[in-house]
Amino acid sequence: MPGCPWLVLPTFNEADNIDLVVEAARRTLAGAAPDGYRILVVDDSSPDGTGEMADRLAAAHPDEVEVLHRAERSGLGPAYLAGFARGLAGGAGYVFEMDADLSHDPADLARLLAAVRDGDADLALGSRYVPGGGVADWGAMRRRVSRAGSWYARQTLGLEVRDLTGGFKCFRADVLRAIDLPSVRSHGYAFQVELTYRALLRGFRVVELPIVFRDRERGTSKMSWRIAAEAAWLVPQLRRGVAHLREPIERAQDAEPSDRIHTG
């Protein structure tokens, strides 16, 4: 029987949001996973006290919340990988990714979990770019850059997923075990592209569910032109180093792409 769902929340200077996002996630997961769940805050030694605030939440809710403190900030990818390792070691049956700044609506955790636990998906993506999805509070330039980034990754890797750069996901734990996490190369936002690419190479079924992404109201965005440029440089290189993951998708080539990827 699969284990309970784990929500991994990487944080760096999210003192304005950590209480709110954890409490909202607790409310949703209490209804969606009544048999139990874990929220793992992975804090990269935030100088604003986020880690200490998370410790207080863990002390108040020891059966639901725990904190993984990392000594230094080394990027989004390594933070998630550390959280995945902890969740898998703890017996997770499903593992979520979600931003800690409330750009992702914690209420949508229930839909993502249901698609994997109760449906046919192995990986459910919260997608901005399928019918019903969207972005609120962004200017025209940021919208164009985001759409262009997903289009570029999709064309470069030959994939059909509409929102490759999004970071709101629910994995079946077996997916994370199968995609060789120790060899993941990306540290920044290309990390999101790489994980989905690896899952598809293994032949796992990916479903995109519409979400509305909202710009953060509190704190400072971690996105920068340097991070975007790093992602653009890394995406063409993702084909290298993953040959060992290709065999399952080659066996599935007789299936139509829609058998593996579903939007909406």
Side-chain angles (χ1 to χ4, degrees), residues 92-105:
Y94 313 93
V95 180
F96 293 101
E97 294 184 25
M98 189 176 77
D99 289 352
D101 60 6
L102 293 170
S103 293
H104 298 139
D105 185 349

Side-chain angles (χ1 to χ4, degrees), residues 39-64:
I39 297 173
L40 176 64
V41 178
V42 183
D43 187 67
D44 281 4
S45 297
S46 298
D48 71 346
T50 301
E52 290 77 6
M53 295 176 69
D55 284 336
R56 289 195 288 273
L57 288 168
H61 309 287
D63 294 332
E64 302 161 358

Side-chain angles (χ1 to χ4, degrees), residues 50-250:
T50 301
E52 290 77 6
M53 295 176 69
D55 284 336
R56 289 195 288 273
L57 288 168
H61 309 287
D63 294 332
E64 302 161 358
V65 182
E66 66 178 86
V67 187
L68 176 61
H69 294 277
R70 302 202 317 145
E72 60 184 25
R73 187 183 184 192
S74 58
L76 183 70
Y80 268 126
L81 292 175
F84 294 164
R86 174 69 192 95
L88 293 175
Y94 313 93
V95 180
F96 293 101
E97 294 184 25
M98 189 176 77
D99 289 352
D101 60 6
L102 293 170
S103 293
H104 298 139
D105 185 349
D108 289 329
L109 289 166
R111 290 195 298 126
L112 294 178
L113 178 61
V116 176
R117 183 188 59 196
D118 306 326
D120 295 327
D122 300 301
L123 166 56
L125 308 179
S127 179
R128 298 162 290 183
Y129 303 133
V130 296
V135 175
D137 312 317
W138 277 7
M141 177 58 73
R142 190 171 178 188
R143 289 173 187 265
R144 286 196 291 269
V145 169
S146 177
R147 279 190 174 273
S150 280
W151 178 88
Y152 169 71
R154 191 166 66 247
Q155 296 299 312
T156 300
L157 299 174
L159 305 179
E160 296 186 2
V161 174
R162 304 295 300 178
D163 193 351
L164 278 169
T165 58
F168 197 8
K169 303 180 179 182
C170 181
F171 295 87
R172 194 181 302 277
D174 287 346
V175 176
L176 296 178
R177 294 189 184 98
I179 61 176
D180 191 16
L181 292 176
S183 70
V184 170
R185 303 179 59 191
S186 307
H187 283 200
Y189 283 83
F191 176 81
Q192 304 298 356
V193 180
E194 182 167 2
L195 289 197
T196 299
Y197 181 45
R198 284 170 174 253
L200 287 167
L201 287 179
R202 278 298 196 194
F204 289 113
R205 181 176 168 87
V206 176
V207 172
E208 294 188 83
L209 301 179
I211 63 162
V212 175
F213 181 95
R214 301 187 180 280
D215 203 7
R216 65 162 62 232
E217 295 183 359
R218 306 170 186 83
T220 304
S221 174
K222 313 304 186 297
M223 187 60 177
S224 69
W225 288 107
R226 181 188 64 78
I227 291 173
E230 176 195 49
W233 178 76
L234 281 172
V235 165
Q237 301 182 54
L238 294 183
R239 291 181 181 274
R240 305 174 187 173
V242 293
H244 60 300
L245 300 178
R246 292 183 183 275
E247 184 179 352
I249 200 170
E250 288 172 358

